[in-house]
Amino acid sequence: SMLSAAQSVCPRVTQRPSVREQLATCVSRKSRQATSFVQETLMQQAGTHIKNKLSELKLSISVSLAESIIDEILQDLSTSQQKLDQHVSEHTSPPPSTSDKAAPRTNIPQLRVVEMEFPTDEYVPVIWRNSIHSRSIR
């Protein structure tokens, strides 16, 4: 199409075989460059999009993993607290009477594990922080 347009505008110049060959070579080279440019651009954009999605997925998995580890730790602490309470109650003697002041008193503070809820109203995963104009990771 570009070659035929050049022939219609400049018929005398394009009648020469050397000029026609140069024009054909130039047109084919430009069309290959345009094709490779489109392919490279699409690959680059797809690569960026895939990389962003993988980062979001890694972050989501990390949050899930951290929450499950915290749940396991809280469960283990609760079990340990129960065992410690049972052990202390088995090995402490009843309080000494007022007449027996020489007996040692065991003063062991009570440990309590308080289970707190994660503040979900203040927590927004990264994958939900998309705005119309930009994507931000905080």
Side-chain angles (χ1 to χ4, degrees), residues 10-11 37 46 52 67 75-76 81 86 90 96 114 119 121 123:
C10 304
F37 172 75
N52 289 341
E67 287 176 351
Q75 182 66 33
D76 288 346
Q81 174 66 38
Q86 181 182 4
E90 289 174 358
V114 179
D121 56 331
Y123 176 72

Side-chain angles (χ1 to χ4, degrees), residues 57-73:
L57 182 62
K58 281 187 215 177
L59 185 61
S60 177
I61 290 172
S62 297
V63 167
S64 177
L65 182 63
E67 287 176 351
S68 66
I69 289 171
I70 289 171
D71 288 343
E72 287 294 321
I73 289 172

Side-chain angles (χ1 to χ4, degrees), residues 1-133:
S1 68
M2 289 181 71
L3 194 55
S4 62
Q7 286 176 347
S8 67
V9 173
C10 304
R12 293 180 95 186
V13 175
T14 55
Q15 284 179 352
R16 293 187 207 152
S18 64
V19 173
R20 190 178 308 164
E21 287 176 19
Q22 287 178 352
L23 285 175
T25 304
C26 182
V27 167
S28 67
R29 185 175 39 223
K30 291 292 182 183
S31 67
R32 280 192 304 253
Q33 287 176 352
T35 303
S36 67
F37 172 75
V38 169
Q39 287 176 345
E40 288 174 11
T41 303
L42 287 175
M43 293 297 287
Q44 186 179 27
Q45 288 176 351
T48 304
H49 185 69
I50 290 169
K51 183 179 175 183
N52 289 341
K53 288 296 181 181
L54 284 175
S55 295
E56 290 174 4
L57 182 62
K58 281 187 215 177
L59 185 61
S60 177
I61 290 172
S62 297
V63 167
S64 177
L65 182 63
E67 287 176 351
S68 66
I69 289 171
I70 289 171
D71 288 343
E72 287 294 321
I73 289 172
L74 284 175
Q75 182 66 33
D76 288 346
L77 284 173
S78 178
T79 303
S80 296
Q81 174 66 38
Q82 290 171 359
K83 287 180 181 179
L84 182 62
D85 286 343
Q86 181 182 4
H87 184 72
V88 166
S89 66
E90 289 174 358
H91 289 81
T92 56
S93 58
S97 62
T98 55
S99 63
D100 188 14
K101 292 189 178 185
R105 293 186 78 181
T106 307
N107 189 9
I108 300 174
Q110 286 234 335
L111 300 174
R112 299 211 181 260
V113 176
V114 179
E115 186 171 329
M116 296 176 57
E117 287 293 322
F118 191 71
T120 55
D121 56 331
E122 297 173 7
Y123 176 72
V124 178
V126 169
I127 55 176
W128 294 350
R129 291 189 185 199
N130 292 333
S131 69
I132 294 172
H133 303 290

